[in-house]
Amino acid sequence: MTVDTDTAQVPSPFKGLGKKLDAKIVKSLNNITGRTLFPYQAAIVRIGFSLTFMLYLIREWPHRLELYGTTSPWSFDIAQRLIASNGAFTVLLWSDSRLWFELVYHGAILASLGLLLGWHTRTMSLLFMVGVLSLLNRNVLLGDGGDTLMHLIASYLVFTRCGKVWSLDSRRRERAAEMNRHDSNPTRVALWVFFGVGLAVTQTTGFAQLSWGWAAFLWGMWLVQAMWFWVQWRGFPELRALLDFAANLVHNAAMLVIAAQVCILYAAAGWYKIQGPRWEDGTALHYPLNLAYFRPWAPLSQALDNNALLVTAITYGTVILQVAFPFTLLNRRVKNVLLPVLMAEHASIAVICGLPFFSMAMVFADAIFLPTSFLRWFGSRTAAAPSRLVERVRRRQDPNAVEV
C-alpha cells in the first residue's frame, strides 16, 4: 500500500485562522474601548448645533413670549394636555410663571454658549439637551425638520466626549499636563453640587414634574459625574482606566448613532420624494419658489423659477443625492466629492428659501462625515487666523518690519 506523500504535506488552508480572527477581534475591541474615535467630528457637531440653537434663540428673543412663553397661542393648558398624552419632556410646564420661563429661556442661551466654547462640556451638554427639549416641546406647531434633528442630536451629544478637542476643557487639560498636575477644577464640583441640590429640592417640593424614567436618567448622570470625581480624588488608576474604557465605548456608539441618523434622514427623504408625482415629473421646486413664506428674495426666486431646465435638474439632482448618499459612504473618494455638494445645496436653501437654521443644522450634521485631516487643517488655520491678522496689520503700519 502506497501513501501519497505530496497530499499529506499540503498544509490546511484553515491553519492559523483562529489566531488571526482572535487578533482582529482584540484589535477591534482595543480601538473601540481604548480610543475616543472621531473627536474632531464630535467637536464640529457640538459647535455647530450649539451655535445654531443659540442664534435661533437670540433671533427670536423679541418674540419669545408669543412662541414659547405666557402669551403663546399654544396655551399652557393645551400644552399640558398634549404632554400628558405623548410623555414628552419639558421643564417649562413645571410652572406657568413669567419668571420661570425667562430663567429657562435665558438659561438655554447660556448653556448653548457654554457648549459652544467647550466649557465643562459634560454638564453643558446635559443642560443644552434640557433646554432644547423644553423649548421645542413647549410649542410643537413651530417645529420643522431642523428642529427634529436638533432634538435628536442634542440627546446624542450627552453621551459623547465632544470636548476632547477645540474646547476650553481641552486647553485646561493641556495646561495641567504641561504643569504635571491633575486636572482639578473647583468649578466642576460647584456645578455638580449646585445642580444636584437643585434637582433634589425641586423634586422634594413637588415643583419638578418628572417621570420615573427622566428622574432616573438625570440622577444617573449626576451619579456618573460623582464617580468621576471620586476616582480622580482617590487616584485609582485601575478604576480610572475602566471609566475611560466605558466612556470611549459610549462615545463611539453615540457617534455611530449620529452617523446612522443622518443616513436614515437622507434615505427616508429621498425615497419619499421618489413616491411623489411632483418629484417624478421634475416640478417640485417650482411650488416653494412661488410661496410667499419661502421667498425672502422674490427676484432671485423668480429668476430661478423662470429657468425650467434648471428647476428640473435641481429637482432630480436633489432626489439622486439623497438616495445615493448612504451608499457613497462605502467609497471615501466619492463621499468626499458628494459631501460638499450636499452642503452647498443646504446653503442655497438658506438663501433662496429663507431657512437659515434648518440649513445650519443639516450642514453641521453632514460635517460628521468630513475627513479628520481636513478638520485638523481647518482647525489649525482658524487658530492661526488672529495671529496672521495681527501680523498683516503690523506690516501695514510698519512695512520695514521683519517677521520673527
Side-chain angles (χ1 to χ4, degrees), residues 49 51 57 70 118 141 176 333 350:
F49 276 84
L51 177 64
L57 295 181
T70 54
L141 298 180
R333 293 182 178 179

Side-chain angles (χ1 to χ4, degrees), residues 8 48 50 52 66 69 73 101 113 125 175 221 238 254 258 285 317 320 337 346 348 354 364 366 374:
S50 58
T52 301
E66 291 79 11
F101 167 76
L113 178 61
S125 62
R175 290 180 176 179
M221 297 298 292
E238 295 83 3
I258 294 175
L285 182 61
I320 293 172
V337 171
H346 292 306
S348 64
F364 286 115
D366 294 342
F374 169 77

Side-chain angles (χ1 to χ4, degrees), residues 178-197:
E178 291 174 357
M179 299 176 66
N180 196 20
R181 61 180 176 83
H182 293 290
D183 181 22
S184 57
N185 192 314
T187 307
R188 289 191 301 170
V189 180
L191 288 172
W192 174 75
V193 172
F194 175 78
F195 290 110
V197 171

